[in-house]
Amino acid sequence: MAYWLFKSEPATWSWEQQVAAGAKGTFWNGVRNHLAKKHLMAMKKGESGFFYHSNDDRAIVGIVEVIKTYYPDDSDETGKFGMVDLRAIKPLKRPISLLEIKAEKALADMVLVNNSRLSVQPVSEVEWRIILTLAGMKP
């Protein structure tokens, strides 16, 4: 099973809005980066991801689940990009900031540390466990 990280600006789409979408979830559209597209295409139903608030917050705030695999993004006029559907699973017990992630030596190779602008990125199983532990949750 793979793990992922989804970045969103809270002013555009926040964790609270993701939670409000309920069990039916919502689509994750607007990705216009080919590497991020590749990650979306690799996702399988049931895989988990971190929900990351970018810009001012810069913190992982929750856990989401992929509920529908890659399909065309209607907002892309070129037809080159797609999206997946996500539903909120639960918030982290406490947000884990980018500064905290960067300070953790074991997370030095995390994509978020080395390519923080990528909107959809993989998270290794080790990184997943470390972040959950930092948040006071059982991996």
Side-chain angles (χ1 to χ4, degrees), residues 3-23:
Y3 296 99
W4 307 96
L5 184 138
F6 300 87
K7 290 177 61 182
S8 182
E9 296 177 14
T12 303
W13 186 257
S14 69
W15 171 249
E16 291 76 16
Q17 288 170 298
Q18 186 67 48
V19 169

Side-chain angles (χ1 to χ4, degrees), residues 76-90:
D76 174 29
E77 294 177 7
T78 70
K80 293 179 183 177
F81 295 95
M83 58 189 172
V84 298
D85 287 359
L86 304 174
R87 72 178 177 102
I89 299 296
K90 61 184 165 186

Side-chain angles (χ1 to χ4, degrees), residues 53-131:
H53 274 171
S54 59
N55 284 351
D56 295 337
D57 294 355
R58 293 189 194 155
I60 297 172
V61 296
I63 297 173
V64 293
E65 177 185 16
V66 176
I67 58 171
K68 184 176 179 183
T69 57
Y70 190 82
Y71 63 100
D73 181 343
D74 293 339
S75 72
D76 174 29
E77 294 177 7
T78 70
K80 293 179 183 177
F81 295 95
M83 58 189 172
V84 298
D85 287 359
L86 304 174
R87 72 178 177 102
I89 299 296
K90 61 184 165 186
L92 294 190
K93 283 189 178 178
R94 69 176 191 85
I96 302 299
S97 73
L98 180 58
L99 289 175
E100 191 172 353
I101 292 166
K102 286 182 174 183
E104 180 61 48
K105 287 181 172 67
L107 297 175
D109 292 329
M110 190 171 183
V111 176
L112 184 63
V113 172
N114 297 297
N115 189 359
S116 63
R117 296 190 50 84
L118 188 61
S119 62
V120 178
Q121 49 192 254
V123 174
S124 75
E125 184 174 350
V126 170
E127 294 162 347
W128 183 264
R129 291 176 174 276
I130 291 169
I131 300 248

